[in-house]
Amino acid sequence: MGKKVLVLAEARDGQLRNVSFEAIAAGKKVASDGEVIGVLIGDSVGSLANEMIQYGADRVLTVEDAKLAQYTSDGYSQAFMAVVEQEQPEGIVFGHTALGKDLSPKIAAKIESGLISDATSVEEEGGEVVFTRPIYSGKAFEKITVKEGIVFATVRPNNIEPLEKDESRSGDVSNVSVSITDLRTVIQDVVRKAADGVDLSEAKVIIAGGRGVKSEEGFQPLKELAEVLGGAVGASRGACDADYCDYSLQIGQTGKVVTPDLYIACGISGAIQHLAGMSNSKVIVAINKDPEANIFNVADYGIVGDLFEIVPMLTEEFKKM
Ligand code: FAD
């Protein structure tokens, strides 16, 4: 029997993030022939509703309030719980983003459901919806089905294929009115570090540098390659600890978990904590001087050599394409 599923969308700079569309696709699997309801929370987010419908939501509920302009777990949980109370869903899907990771346990506790965190696939198998999620820092995968209660999951960005956009789709958009009260945190201002280029967590191509880049300037050839490929620059903790780059670029167990189509690791040895953040990338290319480096054990393609020779050569070749 079909389920009613709520999917929380996320926007940044007035645009829906891709993970919202991926969550809708996951929501469709959970709903089966039921209904997927997109949920948009923010200050004035109504204009984004149609795009959610074009990506597969059957209808959209908005919760709008000036106090929701910036994410706070208090404000968003009040808003989302109002939607839950109105709709009584049988399924909920969030992106496994900073927001999703913060909000989902809070909501799961409030509705007394379990939570399948960080699912990398959602499939229908033998009449059941099966979630797959990595465990032990990506060394093994577990499969989960929910036998009773609300099916609540967060989905890892870049793993679930969104449905094709269909501009002819239409659906109802309505507002849920909530009075947001007693916020323990009030965001006065957001000061963002100027981020160059593509967002690391959603990038399809990542060029990552390790201690082998040797200095802040050593990242320059990686930035040039990333620019040619339309990708983002990432880093190992080794490079961050050495002050070659900002910690916001760190990939791994204590950094970001990424799953791009192409991950090029330059001067990274392949410590288990680094692999935890990138080993599920679709294609991994490793460039390292040391033929025994552990990174070659997870790489699809390995280049033994000096990154300062190889990376500029790759950039020149890709420029010709
Ligand atoms: P190194 O291990 O020093 O490797 C540098 C590599 O560069 C070497 O393989 C060398 O052969 C190669 N090289 C040098 N010069 C060149 C050149 N010119 N051309 C090509 N190759 C060259 N690490 C993470 O990355 N992410 C995490 O989230 C993370 N979390 C951690 C959490 C904990 C609790 C702990 C204990 C550690 C964590 N670490 C993490 C650190 C991790 O164990 C490693 O120390 C770190 O990943 C090493 O970074 P690296 O590969 O850049 O440096």
Side-chain angles (χ1 to χ4, degrees), residues 1-315:
M1 209 182 70
K3 287 184 162 47
K4 186 194 267 193
V5 178
L6 299 180
V7 173
L8 179 65
E10 276 185 55
R12 183 180 286 166
D13 300 330
Q15 303 256 350
L16 285 170
R17 296 183 65 185
N18 275 344
V19 70
S20 311
F21 309 133
E22 294 163 8
I24 292 173
K28 283 276 189 199
K29 294 258 171 66
V30 178
S32 183
D33 53 357
E35 187 185 28
V36 171
I37 305 166
V39 180
L40 277 163
I41 300 175
D43 185 4
S44 55
V45 283
S47 59
L48 304 172
N50 267 344
E51 202 176 8
M52 290 198 76
I53 290 168
Q54 290 167 354
Y55 274 97
D58 298 301
R59 63 187 165 101
V60 172
L61 294 171
T62 59
V63 188
E64 295 183 300
D65 190 306
K67 292 188 190 125
L68 298 169
Q70 302 293 343
Y71 173 77
T72 60
S73 56
D74 264 357
Y76 266 52
S77 66
Q78 288 178 36
F80 195 79
M81 283 307 296
V83 177
V84 169
E85 273 149 31
Q86 176 180 303
E87 295 296 331
Q88 301 294 319
E90 292 142 312
I92 301 176
V93 182
F94 289 3
H96 194 71
T97 56
L99 186 158
K101 282 188 256 186
D102 185 62
L103 187 63
S104 56
K106 192 164 188 162
I107 300 292
K110 282 184 191 292
I111 62 176
E112 298 184 353
S113 77
L115 176 63
I116 303 165
S117 178
D118 200 16
T120 51
S121 92
V122 186
E123 293 303 333
E124 210 260 12
E125 284 175 28
E128 288 191 314
V129 179
V130 180
F131 294 85
T132 305
R133 63 184 292 272
I135 52 173
Y136 305 124
S137 295
K139 278 202 181 126
F141 289 86
E142 68 177 358
K143 290 188 173 238
I144 301 178
T145 56
V146 179
K147 298 290 180 199
E148 58 183 55
I150 298 177
V151 182
F152 189 178
T154 64
V155 292
R156 185 181 283 195
N158 267 349
N159 278 263
I160 290 162
E161 195 62 35
L163 304 176
E164 209 154 300
K165 188 172 184 179
D166 177 355
E167 292 187 0
S168 67
R169 286 190 96 239
S170 59
D172 187 54
V173 180
S174 49
N175 187 258
V176 177
S177 106
V178 192
S179 90
I180 304 292
T181 53
D182 299 329
L183 291 185
R184 281 172 292 185
T185 312
V186 177
I187 311 260
Q188 301 286 1
D189 195 9
V190 178
V191 182
R192 269 207 214 138
K193 209 165 233 188
D196 0 299
V198 184
D199 175 5
L200 191 56
S201 53
E202 294 201 337
K204 297 278 179 213
V205 176
I206 294 176
I207 318 296
R211 224 176 332 233
V213 302
K214 296 192 176 69
S215 64
E216 193 178 339
E217 299 71 52
F219 265 96
Q220 195 50 37
L222 279 62
K223 287 184 186 162
E224 284 162 22
L225 179 56
E227 199 172 321
V228 171
L229 293 176
V233 172
S236 71
R237 179 154 148 191
C240 301
D241 284 346
D243 231 4
Y244 302 161
C245 63
D246 191 81
Y247 279 101
S248 61
L249 302 190
Q250 185 186 320
I251 290 165
Q253 190 181 318
T254 45
K256 294 198 168 81
V257 175
V258 296
T259 326
D261 292 343
L262 174 62
Y263 189 90
I264 306 185
C266 311
I268 294 178
S269 59
I272 183 70
Q273 296 90 352
H274 186 75
L275 302 188
M278 48 61 76
S279 59
N280 287 327
S281 304
K282 293 181 188 89
V283 175
I284 298 171
V285 178
I287 304 169
N288 199 304
K289 280 206 298 203
D290 175 6
E292 302 296 324
N294 190 46
I295 191 79
F296 289 124
N297 291 325
V298 295
D300 299 283
Y301 301 94
I303 306 173
V304 178
D306 186 338
L307 72 92
F308 294 106
E309 287 170 21
I310 292 158
V311 173
M313 269 161 52
L314 289 176
T315 307

